[in-house]
Amino acid sequence: MSQEPIMDVAHLGHLELLTPKPEESLRFFVDVLGMTESGRKADSVFLRAWDDYEHYSLQLTAAKTAALGHAAFRARSAQALERRVKAIENSGAGIGWVKDAYGHGPAYRFRDPDGHVIELYYETQWYQAPQALRPALKNQAQRYPARGVNVRRLDHFNCLAVDIQANREFFENYLGFRLTEQIVLDSGEEAGMWLTATNKSYDFAYTKEAHGVKGRFHHITYALDSREDVLRAADIFLEAGVPIETGPHKHAVQQTFFLYVFEPGGHRVEVANAGARLVLAPDWQPIRWSETERKKGQAWGLKTIETFHTHGTPPLPGQSPFENETVEQDDLSEKGIAS
Amino acid sequence: MSQEPIMDVAHLGHLELLTPKPEESLRFFVDVLGMTESGRKADSVFLRAWDDYEHYSLQLTAAKTAALGHAAFRARSAQALERRVKAIENSGAGIGWVKDAYGHGPAYRFRDPDGHVIELYYETQWYQAPQALRPALKNQAQRYPARGVNVRRLDHFNCLAVDIQANREFFENYLGFRLTEQIVLDSGEEAGMWLTATNKSYDFAYTKEAHGVKGRFHHITYALDSREDVLRAADIFLEAGVPIETGPHKHAVQQTFFLYVFEPGGHRVEVANAGARLVLAPDWQPIRWSETERKKGQAWGLKTIETFHTHGTPPLPGQSPFENETVEQDDLSEKGIAS
Amino acid sequence: MSQEPIMDVAHLGHLELLTPKPEESLRFFVDVLGMTESGRKADSVFLRAWDDYEHYSLQLTAAKTAALGHAAFRARSAQALERRVKAIENSGAGIGWVKDAYGHGPAYRFRDPDGHVIELYYETQWYQAPQALRPALKNQAQRYPARGVNVRRLDHFNCLAVDIQANREFFENYLGFRLTEQIVLDSGEEAGMWLTATNKSYDFAYTKEAHGVKGRFHHITYALDSREDVLRAADIFLEAGVPIETGPHKHAVQQTFFLYVFEPGGHRVEVANAGARLVLAPDWQPIRWSETERKKGQAWGLKTIETFHTHGTPPLPGQSPFENETVEQDDLSEKGIAS
Amino acid sequence: MSQEPIMDVAHLGHLELLTPKPEESLRFFVDVLGMTESGRKADSVFLRAWDDYEHYSLQLTAAKTAALGHAAFRARSAQALERRVKAIENSGAGIGWVKDAYGHGPAYRFRDPDGHVIELYYETQWYQAPQALRPALKNQAQRYPARGVNVRRLDHFNCLAVDIQANREFFENYLGFRLTEQIVLDSGEEAGMWLTATNKSYDFAYTKEAHGVKGRFHHITYALDSREDVLRAADIFLEAGVPIETGPHKHAVQQTFFLYVFEPGGHRVEVANAGARLVLAPDWQPIRWSETERKKGQAWGLKTIETFHTHGTPPLPGQSPFENETVEQDDLSEKGIAS
């Protein structure tokens, strides 16, 4: 008999994004994406989509440069959290406990092999909608906002990493994530990985960092109900003057119907139809895409746009559509972003 | 610390439906729903939707009357199967092992408290599409058929049960299903339950049997990608002369966008948008609908149609839109349907 | 050779609706439907949908009771207007010229045989969006609002009439409208008519007034782009507490995908997908629906709701979901509604 | 007073496309696009979409090379046909009457300034669906096929022309088409025109021929109901191995949601959402796009693909994705395509 799967991580909980333009970023997420502010603390504003059950799924923090603050996963139980913390401590990747987190209980903080800060927590604060935002149907967290893009819930995130294989093995071995799809170059080097802890076909992805800089972030994705919702989002982004990077179109990998834009702080933001596609098989065999297959472009033939391989946050000099936003490596270390 | 959740059931695998009109039922599922025949054995034809990863999700078996043959769930691992079988054996509900099942490994068969036959298995046969049905994208099980309603995958089923609470406790305690929503009458009696083993908000439902007859079946549901797909299905059913019972409309419970029709053998078949709504919380608190709340009808005000409360398979005399299809209790016992 | 069609009416221009709750009605049309206020004059507020090319398509006027103020059609040319005015004058239905209309040039006012006030005009004021509402694409009248239901443009209206045939002949003979569908009872009496001056399959409809009261209004309809947009509107109406009368569903007549709600003033408002269905044939043969055919209900089997046959504006005592809003016939005469 | 509009052309009726691969082209239009064969005569097969009211909208004719055979418009009345024929005869562009056309009455044939053959007719044969294809709703021409892409009706076509202005003036002056949008280069030369005789924002377009060859064809377009239908078409084309040229995406010009593919004979075929956008204004002011504006690409930023400017039928040596299909100018003259 093969080993039993580790089921200790329940789902992606939230992301903290650092932004050099906190007010403009906030306006983007609230007015254009249709999110709701659910709290403030120090330099951070907490935001939620209408179907997120927890208090928030996005923490926007004012900072000198755009970067991932941290990504947080919720454990399946208190015992599951204990087991994972013990495993991570043994791996040497641990940073330690955060006791006073906003909106959830104690969180264990650690670094993945590329230096991104990740948290794991179990206790959490369920969202209680104020009167004005109470939904008509009691099985829904919050009223449908009917404003802007109306994103439904946090879906996934994507980081860049210098060594994909090392990160894949870390998340598989210490956290129990399951690989559903990957890109493997002709050289045998892994160039992309999509992992899940749920029946969604991925909860996050890491793709190859081309510039050797660790700790960079690629994009955050909010889910919409249908492909038509994504097309309507494109109309709304166009009207709002939000720069569209690429899409709407359908990825060959994972078949996600995607649309990528840039928020004012410089982060790439995706809205995607996270529709009916689920991975139900407990023993799903990872789909491996070769270099040749990836060169065919997206599902319906769109060529992958160049900035998709180069732009991340923090942006690098000469590699970004936001040239004047790039930062020195010093700033990254100061913010504790890059190891 | 509270008890850890049992994660031993991976997902709903397939249903066996008995039909008194096997050829007409087959034509409905293939020509109208857009399913693919993937095998035959004895009196059964095996059918699949294009995104089902296993060999089949529906077994149509010729019989004297329409009824549920059995419902089958896939366990998460060989060890998980062992654990669940031991628990069920201890419950006294067990029937025994089926060794020679079509398309999957050994299955343990048992009865729920209402007498429906349920199976649990782990080993399974992944679908290998023949050349003509191979998809363009390698992360898809089968080519999109572009025929009829184009159902995507088996989503859930619904049985009737005389004692809802007894069945809920059975599935929770012995199989680890989680209750996400329920109906509780003013008397305190439970009248409906929606349970899940996945991140789908339900994998099956049981609703109150009004006539005291055990072992009856309410409907099978296949998932579509969008609400527009469900509306188009309504157009197609209308053109094909398939009787529409109710819908398209949106349930208040679970917010499913539904459409119910009758297949030629007499079974109620639903196509539904099983879209972006997921239950990700590992500690989801069940939504309880009161008698008063349910009387409001569906989400946008549609009144629940009377046949929805009375028609099931096997049909009962005087309670069915298919009057001439009703059967004697004798037939049910013969087929091993009713206990 | 048969007679050539009269092509003198270009399209429906706008409606004036009287409302006893002007502020609440305004909030409904702006906040929930997503319309834009484009002017005020005396007791009236003028409103527009984002794709209306004229200054407005709806005039909301404060009044003691809900009623149709008038409906206005735009002529195809100055000469066309002249021809139609001459014809109407000869018919004896004329009222006279309105010289100082808001947002358009001189309008000729007349009564249809049921007493509804209708206007015909040619000169009009094209909408010039202020900076904040300027669209990204120059072939669009106004920025997509991304607020509420986001209705696109005025589509059609529906009046009640005691004598359908008399009204049909009036609009055909004096204005050149073409009949595309109709309901004819077994008695030979006409019970519904759908007429068009465009390639839309209808620009307005009249249906049988069951209570013998002349001059009543049934509903105004704004167009949405897709059926999914109509479903989303239902979600939004539910959240906003707007009473849904019936739908979403598909009419058999004209195949309109409909959703009917009541605005605070008591008028029935429809949002509908006015999609790809066009009547292009210049010699279209009217579709005649019999009494038996209509009893089958809507396209997918929904039974027509009772209030649909009884409620209109002004509401009648005992015939309305808005009982306390009903008015005496005196009020109607005062407002010049009923002849 | 300005001159009254000529309203003599009712709508686009059908296209004749010549194909060097008649059997493969037929299979594409029937099996993939979901059209229905409604007749055969000599080397031609006649095809229709389910919402076309006439007998056919596409004539596929076997030939040595892919090219436009002719495009046909239906006049509004017998008198309108007479008037237009007289005007065209006076212009010197006339060819003469075709008396024995399939599926419609006498047609007057002429050449536009670029040499494309155009027909005008009035009498026509309405489609009478055989029993198996009769629709459930009597206001529909034919049963919804539920096969492949399910195109709804012929929407428009696009030719290439060496002198856009000359063609625009011809269609405006002699046929009464109205210009809704155009491209004008910085030099003042017109590079594209979109004309309509209906409330659709265009019934055909001509764009600049870059190679100085007259009489070439750019694409034929069938309408779908929604953008989701266009996306689904992309899925189906991908599965069927149909080469996708570009899209789905939204044009800035006319805001059409487009998808371009190549049928086996080499013609570019578009499926598009011809949804709710209508031009209702009888005095619509043409939208003029400058060279700079066009360089921005499509509505959401997609760059226009190079083959879109070069590939047409007949294909030219070195300018086509179908290199081995190119033809000598001799063939064009033989077929009477190029003047």
Side-chain angles (χ1 to χ4, degrees):
Chain A
M1 279 189 189
S2 59
Q3 211 179 336
E4 289 198 74
I6 301 167
M7 299 299 291
D8 286 347
V9 174
H11 63 84
L12 175 63
H14 59 266
L15 295 187
E16 182 192 16
L17 294 184
L18 310 187
T19 169
K21 300 190 175 171
E23 187 53 32
E24 291 93 325
S25 291
L26 178 61
R27 296 270 55 83
F28 168 84
F29 284 103
V30 172
D31 297 343
V32 184
L33 279 202
M35 295 179 72
T36 300
E37 181 181 328
S38 54
R40 297 205 175 203
K41 184 183 171 186
D43 283 346
S44 294
V45 180
F46 298 86
L47 295 162
R48 49 176 285 101
W50 61 270
D51 192 29
D52 289 325
Y53 77 91
E54 294 181 274
H55 198 60
Y56 66 94
S57 60
L58 177 62
Q59 177 180 0
L60 270 186
T61 301
K64 284 208 296 188
T65 186
L68 174 68
H70 71 278
F73 294 96
R74 191 174 177 212
R76 192 172 301 278
S77 64
Q79 298 89 331
L81 177 59
E82 267 186 25
R83 279 191 296 267
R84 287 311 106 207
V85 169
K86 185 168 295 182
I88 296 162
E89 279 176 338
N90 289 339
S91 81
I95 297 176
W97 288 93
V98 177
K99 299 286 187 188
D100 62 341
Y102 180 87
H104 60 82
Y108 187 77
R109 190 169 271 219
F110 56 95
R111 281 184 197 281
D112 69 26
D114 205 69
H116 304 98
V117 176
I118 315 285
E119 278 185 10
L120 197 61
Y121 65 96
Y122 172 65
E123 291 169 25
T124 195
Q125 186 180 339
W126 286 61
Y127 179 65
Q128 299 297 335
Q131 181 63 38
L133 300 181
R134 244 171 242 168
L137 296 175
K138 62 198 286 191
N139 49 8
Q140 187 173 313
Q142 177 186 333
R143 180 174 295 188
Y144 181 81
R147 180 184 70 245
V149 170
N150 292 301
V151 291
R152 179 166 194 146
R153 60 168 168 72
L154 177 61
D155 190 81
H156 68 268
F157 69 98
N158 192 141
C159 284
L160 295 167
V162 173
D163 183 340
I164 296 294
Q165 182 178 341
N167 282 275
R168 173 177 61 75
E169 290 172 351
F170 177 84
F171 282 103
E172 287 178 337
N173 296 339
Y174 296 107
L175 288 146
F177 282 94
R178 298 177 292 285
L179 179 73
T180 55
E181 306 203 11
Q182 67 180 159
I183 297 170
V184 181
L185 303 183
D186 296 348
S187 64
E189 188 190 358
E190 298 183 17
M193 70 187 204
W194 283 258
L195 286 99
T196 189
T198 63
N199 293 119
K200 293 166 57 241
S201 62
Y202 57 118
D203 293 323
F204 69 101
Y206 276 25
T207 43
K208 178 70 186 167
E209 164 62 64
H211 311 92
V213 181
K214 287 187 165 188
R216 294 215 301 155
F217 181 68
H218 197 263
H219 67 264
I220 182 175
T221 302
Y222 275 88
L224 290 169
D225 281 2
S226 67
R227 302 200 282 197
E228 172 59 27
D229 281 355
V230 177
L231 299 178
R232 186 59 84 191
D235 292 331
I236 293 169
F237 289 133
L238 176 69
E239 294 285 33
V242 172
I244 295 175
E245 185 186 31
T246 186
H249 202 91
K250 180 180 180 168
H251 280 304
V253 176
Q254 299 286 2
Q255 301 200 19
T256 310
F257 190 70
F258 66 84
L259 171 60
Y260 295 97
V261 301
F262 296 112
E263 59 87 32
H267 288 291
R268 183 185 284 107
V269 175
E270 182 188 25
V271 290
N273 172 31
R277 185 163 187 253
L278 298 174
V279 166
L280 297 172
D283 52 352
W284 177 263
Q285 296 305 303
I287 304 295
R288 184 175 291 195
W289 300 89
S290 71
E291 211 168 324
T292 310
E293 287 168 334
R294 290 307 304 125
K295 280 187 183 144
K296 287 185 194 168
Q298 306 305 328
W300 300 320
L302 184 72
K303 292 303 162 196
T304 305
I305 201 162
E306 186 56 26
T307 51
F308 206 72
H309 296 303
T310 56
H311 178 71
T313 41
L316 300 179
Q319 303 291 355
S320 165
F322 292 85
E323 188 61 37
N324 57 347
E325 311 293 340
T326 59
V327 295
E328 300 303 311
Q329 283 300 310
D330 290 356
D331 293 324
L332 299 185
S333 320
E334 273 174 35
K335 296 304 288 185
I337 308 302
S339 56
Chain B
M1 279 188 188
S2 59
Q3 210 179 337
E4 289 198 73
I6 299 168
M7 299 297 292
D8 286 347
V9 174
H11 62 85
L12 175 63
H14 59 265
L15 295 187
E16 182 192 17
L17 295 184
L18 311 187
T19 170
K21 299 189 176 172
E23 187 53 32
E24 291 92 327
S25 291
L26 178 61
R27 294 271 55 85
F28 168 83
F29 285 103
V30 171
D31 298 342
V32 183
L33 279 202
M35 295 180 71
T36 299
E37 181 182 328
S38 54
R40 297 204 175 205
K41 184 182 170 187
D43 283 346
S44 295
V45 180
F46 298 86
L47 295 163
R48 50 177 284 100
W50 60 271
D51 193 30
D52 289 324
Y53 77 90
E54 293 182 274
H55 198 61
Y56 66 94
S57 61
L58 178 61
Q59 177 181 359
L60 270 187
T61 301
K64 283 208 295 188
T65 185
L68 175 68
H70 71 278
F73 294 97
R74 189 171 179 214
R76 192 172 300 279
S77 64
Q79 297 91 330
L81 176 59
E82 267 186 24
R83 279 191 295 268
R84 288 310 106 208
V85 169
K86 184 167 296 182
I88 297 161
E89 279 176 339
N90 288 340
S91 81
I95 296 176
W97 288 93
V98 177
K99 300 285 188 188
D100 62 340
Y102 180 86
H104 60 81
Y108 188 76
R109 190 169 272 220
F110 56 97
R111 281 185 196 283
D112 68 27
D114 205 69
H116 304 99
V117 176
I118 316 284
E119 277 185 10
L120 197 61
Y121 65 96
Y122 171 65
E123 290 169 25
T124 195
Q125 186 180 338
W126 287 60
Y127 180 64
Q128 300 297 335
Q131 182 62 37
L133 299 180
R134 245 171 241 169
L137 296 174
K138 62 198 285 189
N139 49 8
Q140 186 173 315
Q142 178 187 332
R143 180 173 294 189
Y144 182 82
R147 180 184 68 244
V149 170
N150 292 302
V151 291
R152 179 168 193 143
R153 59 167 170 71
L154 177 60
D155 191 81
H156 67 268
F157 68 98
N158 191 142
C159 283
L160 295 166
V162 174
D163 183 340
I164 297 294
Q165 182 177 341
N167 282 275
R168 173 177 62 74
E169 291 172 349
F170 177 83
F171 282 103
E172 287 178 337
N173 296 339
Y174 297 107
L175 288 147
F177 282 94
R178 297 176 293 283
L179 179 73
T180 55
E181 306 202 11
Q182 65 180 161
I183 297 169
V184 180
L185 303 182
D186 296 348
S187 65
E189 187 191 359
E190 298 183 18
M193 71 186 201
W194 284 258
L195 287 98
T196 190
T198 64
N199 293 118
K200 293 166 57 239
S201 62
Y202 57 118
D203 294 323
F204 69 100
Y206 275 26
T207 44
K208 179 71 186 167
E209 165 63 66
H211 312 93
V213 182
K214 286 187 164 189
R216 293 215 302 156
F217 181 69
H218 197 263
H219 68 264
I220 182 174
T221 303
Y222 275 88
L224 290 170
D225 281 1
S226 67
R227 302 200 282 197
E228 171 59 27
D229 281 355
V230 177
L231 298 178
R232 185 61 82 190
D235 292 330
I236 293 170
F237 289 134
L238 176 68
E239 294 284 34
V242 172
I244 295 176
E245 185 186 32
T246 186
H249 202 92
K250 181 180 179 167
H251 280 303
V253 175
Q254 300 285 1
Q255 301 200 19
T256 310
F257 190 71
F258 65 84
L259 171 60
Y260 295 97
V261 302
F262 296 112
E263 59 86 34
H267 290 290
R268 183 186 283 105
V269 175
E270 182 189 25
V271 290
N273 172 31
R277 186 164 187 253
L278 298 175
V279 167
L280 296 172
D283 52 352
W284 178 263
Q285 296 305 303
I287 304 294
R288 184 176 291 195
W289 299 89
S290 72
E291 211 168 323
T292 311
E293 287 168 334
R294 291 307 304 126
K295 279 186 183 145
K296 289 184 192 168
Q298 306 305 328
W300 300 319
L302 185 72
K303 293 301 163 197
T304 305
I305 200 162
E306 186 54 29
T307 51
F308 205 72
H309 297 302
T310 56
H311 178 71
T313 40
L316 300 178
Q319 303 291 356
S320 165
F322 293 85
E323 188 61 37
N324 56 347
E325 312 293 340
T326 58
V327 294
E328 301 302 312
Q329 284 299 312
D330 290 355
D331 294 323
L332 300 184
S333 320
E334 273 174 36
K335 295 305 290 184
I337 309 302
S339 57
Chain C
M1 280 189 190
S2 59
Q3 211 178 337
E4 290 198 73
I6 300 167
M7 299 297 292
D8 285 346
V9 174
H11 63 85
L12 175 62
H14 58 266
L15 295 187
E16 182 192 17
L17 294 184
L18 310 186
T19 170
K21 299 189 175 171
E23 186 54 32
E24 291 92 327
S25 290
L26 179 61
R27 294 271 55 84
F28 168 83
F29 285 103
V30 172
D31 297 342
V32 183
L33 279 202
M35 295 180 72
T36 300
E37 181 181 327
S38 54
R40 296 205 176 205
K41 184 182 170 186
D43 283 347
S44 295
V45 180
F46 298 86
L47 295 162
R48 49 176 285 101
W50 61 270
D51 193 30
D52 289 325
Y53 77 90
E54 294 181 275
H55 198 61
Y56 65 94
S57 61
L58 178 60
Q59 177 181 0
L60 270 187
T61 301
K64 285 207 295 189
T65 185
L68 174 69
H70 72 278
F73 293 97
R74 190 173 177 212
R76 191 171 302 279
S77 64
Q79 298 91 330
L81 176 59
E82 267 187 24
R83 279 191 295 267
R84 288 311 106 208
V85 169
K86 185 168 295 181
I88 297 162
E89 280 175 339
N90 289 339
S91 80
I95 297 175
W97 288 94
V98 177
K99 299 286 187 187
D100 61 340
Y102 180 86
H104 60 81
Y108 188 76
R109 189 169 272 218
F110 56 96
R111 282 184 196 282
D112 68 28
D114 205 70
H116 304 99
V117 177
I118 315 284
E119 277 185 11
L120 197 61
Y121 66 96
Y122 172 64
E123 291 169 24
T124 195
Q125 187 180 338
W126 287 60
Y127 179 64
Q128 300 297 335
Q131 182 62 38
L133 299 180
R134 244 171 241 167
L137 296 174
K138 61 198 287 189
N139 49 9
Q140 187 172 314
Q142 178 187 333
R143 181 174 293 189
Y144 182 83
R147 180 183 70 245
V149 169
N150 292 302
V151 291
R152 177 167 194 146
R153 60 169 169 71
L154 177 60
D155 190 81
H156 67 268
F157 69 98
N158 191 141
C159 283
L160 295 166
V162 174
D163 183 340
I164 297 292
Q165 182 178 341
N167 281 275
R168 174 177 62 74
E169 290 172 350
F170 177 83
F171 282 103
E172 287 178 337
N173 296 338
Y174 296 107
L175 288 146
F177 282 94
R178 299 176 292 285
L179 179 73
T180 56
E181 306 202 11
Q182 65 180 160
I183 297 169
V184 181
L185 303 182
D186 295 349
S187 65
E189 188 191 357
E190 299 182 18
M193 70 186 203
W194 284 258
L195 286 99
T196 190
T198 63
N199 293 118
K200 292 166 56 241
S201 62
Y202 58 118
D203 293 323
F204 69 100
Y206 277 25
T207 44
K208 179 70 186 169
E209 165 63 65
H211 312 92
V213 181
K214 285 187 164 188
R216 294 217 300 156
F217 180 68
H218 197 263
H219 69 264
I220 182 175
T221 302
Y222 275 89
L224 290 170
D225 281 2
S226 67
R227 301 200 282 198
E228 171 59 28
D229 281 355
V230 177
L231 299 178
R232 185 60 84 190
D235 292 331
I236 293 169
F237 289 134
L238 176 69
E239 294 284 33
V242 172
I244 295 175
E245 185 186 31
T246 186
H249 203 91
K250 180 179 179 168
H251 280 304
V253 176
Q254 300 285 2
Q255 301 200 18
T256 310
F257 189 71
F258 65 84
L259 172 60
Y260 295 97
V261 301
F262 296 112
E263 58 86 34
H267 289 290
R268 182 185 284 106
V269 175
E270 182 189 25
V271 290
N273 172 31
R277 186 164 186 253
L278 299 174
V279 166
L280 297 172
D283 53 351
W284 178 262
Q285 297 305 302
I287 304 296
R288 185 176 290 194
W289 299 90
S290 71
E291 211 168 324
T292 310
E293 287 169 334
R294 290 308 304 125
K295 280 186 183 146
K296 288 184 194 168
Q298 306 305 328
W300 300 319
L302 185 71
K303 292 303 163 196
T304 305
I305 201 162
E306 187 54 28
T307 52
F308 205 74
H309 297 302
T310 56
H311 178 71
T313 40
L316 300 178
Q319 303 291 354
S320 166
F322 292 85
E323 188 61 37
N324 57 348
E325 311 294 340
T326 59
V327 294
E328 301 303 310
Q329 284 300 309
D330 290 355
D331 295 322
L332 299 185
S333 321
E334 272 174 36
K335 294 305 290 185
I337 309 302
S339 55
Chain D
M1 279 190 189
S2 59
Q3 212 180 335
E4 289 197 72
I6 300 167
M7 299 298 292
D8 286 347
V9 174
H11 62 84
L12 175 64
H14 58 266
L15 295 187
E16 182 193 15
L17 294 184
L18 311 188
T19 171
K21 298 189 177 172
E23 187 54 33
E24 291 92 327
S25 291
L26 179 61
R27 296 269 56 84
F28 168 83
F29 285 103
V30 172
D31 297 343
V32 183
L33 279 202
M35 295 180 71
T36 300
E37 182 181 328
S38 54
R40 297 205 173 203
K41 184 183 170 187
D43 283 346
S44 295
V45 180
F46 298 86
L47 295 163
R48 48 176 287 102
W50 61 270
D51 193 30
D52 289 324
Y53 77 89
E54 293 181 274
H55 197 61
Y56 65 94
S57 60
L58 177 62
Q59 177 181 359
L60 269 187
T61 301
K64 284 208 294 190
T65 185
L68 175 69
H70 71 278
F73 294 97
R74 189 172 179 214
R76 191 172 302 278
S77 65
Q79 297 91 330
L81 176 59
E82 267 186 24
R83 279 191 297 268
R84 287 311 107 208
V85 169
K86 184 167 295 181
I88 297 163
E89 280 176 338
N90 288 340
S91 80
I95 297 176
W97 288 94
V98 177
K99 299 286 187 187
D100 61 341
Y102 180 87
H104 61 82
Y108 188 76
R109 188 168 273 220
F110 56 96
R111 281 184 196 281
D112 69 27
D114 206 69
H116 304 98
V117 177
I118 315 286
E119 278 185 9
L120 197 61
Y121 65 96
Y122 171 65
E123 290 170 24
T124 195
Q125 187 180 338
W126 287 61
Y127 180 65
Q128 300 297 335
Q131 182 63 36
L133 299 180
R134 245 171 240 169
L137 296 174
K138 62 198 284 190
N139 49 10
Q140 186 173 315
Q142 178 186 333
R143 179 174 294 189
Y144 182 82
R147 180 184 69 245
V149 169
N150 291 302
V151 290
R152 179 168 193 144
R153 59 168 169 70
L154 177 60
D155 190 80
H156 68 268
F157 69 98
N158 191 142
C159 283
L160 295 167
V162 173
D163 183 340
I164 297 294
Q165 182 177 341
N167 282 275
R168 174 178 59 76
E169 291 172 349
F170 177 83
F171 283 102
E172 287 178 336
N173 296 339
Y174 296 107
L175 288 147
F177 281 95
R178 298 176 294 284
L179 179 73
T180 55
E181 305 202 12
Q182 66 180 161
I183 297 169
V184 181
L185 303 183
D186 296 348
S187 64
E189 188 191 358
E190 299 183 16
M193 69 187 203
W194 283 258
L195 286 100
T196 189
T198 64
N199 293 120
K200 294 166 57 240
S201 62
Y202 58 119
D203 294 323
F204 69 100
Y206 276 25
T207 43
K208 178 70 186 169
E209 165 62 65
H211 312 93
V213 181
K214 286 187 164 188
R216 294 216 299 156
F217 181 69
H218 196 263
H219 68 264
I220 183 175
T221 303
Y222 275 88
L224 290 170
D225 281 2
S226 67
R227 301 200 283 198
E228 172 59 26
D229 281 354
V230 177
L231 299 178
R232 186 59 84 191
D235 292 331
I236 293 169
F237 289 134
L238 177 69
E239 293 285 34
V242 173
I244 295 175
E245 185 185 30
T246 186
H249 203 91
K250 181 180 180 166
H251 280 304
V253 176
Q254 299 285 2
Q255 301 200 20
T256 310
F257 190 71
F258 65 83
L259 171 59
Y260 295 97
V261 301
F262 296 112
E263 58 87 32
H267 289 291
R268 182 185 284 105
V269 175
E270 182 188 24
V271 290
N273 171 30
R277 185 163 187 254
L278 298 174
V279 166
L280 297 171
D283 52 351
W284 178 263
Q285 297 304 303
I287 304 295
R288 184 176 291 194
W289 299 90
S290 71
E291 211 168 323
T292 311
E293 286 168 334
R294 291 308 304 125
K295 280 187 183 145
K296 288 184 194 168
Q298 305 305 329
W300 300 320
L302 185 71
K303 292 304 163 195
T304 305
I305 201 162
E306 184 56 26
T307 51
F308 205 71
H309 297 303
T310 57
H311 179 71
T313 41
L316 300 178
Q319 304 291 355
S320 165
F322 293 86
E323 188 61 37
N324 56 348
E325 311 294 340
T326 58
V327 295
E328 301 303 312
Q329 284 299 311
D330 290 355
D331 294 323
L332 300 185
S333 320
E334 273 173 35
K335 295 304 289 184
I337 307 302
S339 55

